[in-house]
């Protein structure tokens, strides 16, 4: 019952935000950080609820729905209906699933090094891949030095091959089972939303976030924050924002790969 009340409260808040956007001609990227994040999360939650609603339409199917929710709470229920222990366990499971794609993503970055025309950028990419393979957390300048590689060939958003987009989709907890055209579109849209959120968060300031908001923001961006101290999470989120707010729209492929580059070897993540 409490879960339904929380979901209903979220729905009413989302409706108020949308009404304000409509009445004042406000675009998504012009909202405050918390308003943007609320709409983003509510859209994901309501998608799960919509699926359950469709399944329960046939007569007596609601009994089957209750059984499925009991057997598969992680896949079918939104976080409002999870117990505190389930929240921790399920977030660990989701992170383990997305972490499986990290070696594949890093392997592709190594393979394309000969395709980079600039010798200096080849060296920077080699150094970055070597650092990560050795378990070293890369510095901000290590990542930003490669922004040119991710704005056009071979790592620009429009140049990524299908298998790399599938791996990146898994790293972002998005379905990889779509045609290449839809995969590219969805990755672009998802990364753009995160970039917009980052700009709004930088304007608000990380210090204004609660502990739960900080951990949720880190988890969305690839860090398994469930077992990391709050201050460590704030530090990591600050590093992410420095990178994100330095990037232009054409360089968002770097932000997408940063989900792996910045999170893989961060303190406390090697579980």
């Amino acid at each position: 019952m409490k879960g339904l009340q929380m979901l209903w409260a979220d729905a009413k808040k989302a409706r108020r935000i949308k009404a304000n956007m409509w009445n004042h001609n406000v675009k998504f990227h012009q909202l405050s950080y918390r308003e943007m994040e609320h709409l983003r999360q509510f859209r994901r939650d309501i998608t799960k609820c919509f699926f359950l609603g469709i399944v329960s339409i046939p007569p007596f199917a609601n009994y089957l729905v209750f059984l499925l929710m009991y057997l598969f709470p992680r896949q079918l229920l939104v976080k409002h209906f999870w117990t505190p222990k389930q929240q921790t366990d399920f977030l660990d499971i989701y992170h383990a699933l997305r972490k499986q794609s990290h070696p594949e993503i890093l392997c592709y970055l190594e393979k394309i090094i000969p395709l980079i025309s600039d010798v200096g950028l080849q060296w920077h990419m080699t150094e970055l891949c070597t650092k990560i393979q050795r378990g070293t957390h890369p510095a901000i300048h290590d990542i930003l030095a490669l922004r040119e590689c991710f704005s056009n060939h071979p790592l620009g958003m429009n140049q990524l091959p299908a298998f790399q987009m599938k791996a990146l989709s898994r790293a972002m907890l998005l379905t990889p089972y779509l045609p290449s055209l839809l995969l590219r579109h969805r990755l672009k849209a998802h990364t753009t939303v995160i970039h917009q959120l980052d700009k709004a968060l930088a304007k608000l300031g990380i210090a204004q976030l609660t502990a739960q908001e900080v951990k949720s923001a880190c988890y969305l961006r690839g860090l398994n924050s469930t077992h990391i101290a709050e201050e460590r999470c704030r530090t990591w989120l600050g590093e992410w924002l420095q990178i994100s707010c330095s990037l232009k729209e054409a360089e968002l492929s770097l932000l997408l790969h940063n989900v792996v580059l910045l999170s893989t070897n961060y303190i406390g993540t090697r579980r």
Side-chain angles (χ1 to χ4, degrees):
M1 194 65 182
K2 185 180 179 181
L4 286 173
Q5 292 174 344
M6 293 169 64
L7 186 61
W8 180 245
D10 281 354
K12 289 195 294 185
K13 183 176 179 180
R15 184 180 179 183
R16 286 197 301 269
I17 295 171
K18 294 293 287 184
N20 183 62
M21 291 173 66
W22 178 264
N23 294 333
H24 298 91
N25 195 27
V26 175
K27 304 297 183 183
F28 178 79
H29 69 274
Q30 296 173 315
L31 295 172
S32 69
Y33 171 76
R34 287 191 172 97
E35 289 174 330
M36 292 169 68
E37 175 58 22
H38 185 85
L39 285 184
R40 185 202 67 80
Q41 186 59 54
F42 182 72
R43 286 169 185 165
R44 296 199 67 158
D45 290 343
I46 207 64
T47 301
K48 274 191 175 182
C49 296
F50 181 75
F51 171 77
L52 285 177
I54 294 295
V55 173
S56 62
I57 288 177
F60 305 108
N62 55 319
Y63 297 107
L64 174 61
V65 169
F66 284 124
L67 177 62
L68 291 174
M69 288 191 297
Y70 177 77
L71 295 175
F72 306 103
R74 176 173 63 86
Q75 293 88 343
L76 298 179
L77 295 179
V78 296
K79 62 181 180 179
H80 304 77
F81 300 94
W82 295 349
T83 66
K85 184 179 185 304
Q86 282 178 326
Q87 289 193 30
T88 300
D89 292 344
F90 292 168
L91 290 177
D92 281 343
I93 291 171
Y94 279 127
H95 184 71
L97 290 172
R98 65 184 178 184
K99 196 174 180 181
Q100 291 174 2
S101 65
H102 289 191
E104 185 179 346
I105 293 169
L106 293 172
C107 181
Y108 178 70
L109 294 183
E110 280 191 297
K111 286 182 178 179
I112 56 86
I113 290 175
L115 301 179
I116 300 174
S117 56
D118 187 278
V119 176
L121 291 176
Q122 283 187 3
W123 182 85
H124 279 298
M125 181 66 81
T126 303
E127 282 292 297
L128 178 62
C129 291
T130 302
K131 277 187 176 182
I132 293 175
Q133 287 176 344
R134 291 177 178 173
T136 302
H137 180 63
I140 295 171
H141 62 81
D142 292 330
I143 295 174
L144 285 178
L146 292 164
R147 57 198 299 173
E148 186 179 334
C149 297
F150 290 86
S151 61
N152 44 50
H153 182 79
L155 291 169
M157 194 74 82
N158 292 325
Q159 284 78 39
L160 293 175
F163 62 85
Q164 182 74 345
M165 289 192 293
K166 289 179 183 292
L168 288 166
S169 293
R170 293 196 299 272
M172 299 294 285
L173 294 177
L174 301 173
T175 177
Y177 307 111
L178 292 173
S180 296
L181 189 65
L182 291 179
L183 277 177
R184 197 181 312 277
H185 173 76
R186 193 174 188 189
L187 283 173
K188 280 183 179 179
H190 195 73
T191 310
T192 298
V193 168
I194 291 179
H195 194 223
Q196 292 169 344
L197 280 167
D198 290 341
K199 290 181 178 179
L201 178 53
K203 185 177 180 180
L204 174 65
I206 296 175
Q208 302 302 314
L209 298 184
T210 65
Q212 184 55 49
E213 287 175 326
V214 169
K215 286 182 174 284
S216 295
C218 289
Y219 195 90
L220 171 65
R221 291 157 178 81
L223 184 71
N224 187 11
S225 53
T226 54
H227 304 285
I228 302 178
E230 179 190 340
E231 286 308 310
R232 294 284 189 186
C233 289
R234 289 184 186 274
T235 300
W236 185 88
L237 189 56
E239 292 180 6
W240 174 281
L241 289 185
Q242 286 186 58
I243 294 171
S244 179
C245 294
S246 300
L247 300 178
K248 301 175 183 177
E249 185 178 349
E251 301 165 336
L252 289 187
S253 178
L254 177 54
L255 190 65
L256 179 58
H257 285 79
N258 203 40
V259 169
V260 178
L261 299 176
L262 199 64
S263 69
T264 300
N265 295 324
Y266 192 62
I267 299 170
T269 59
R270 281 163 286 180
R271 292 175 57 84

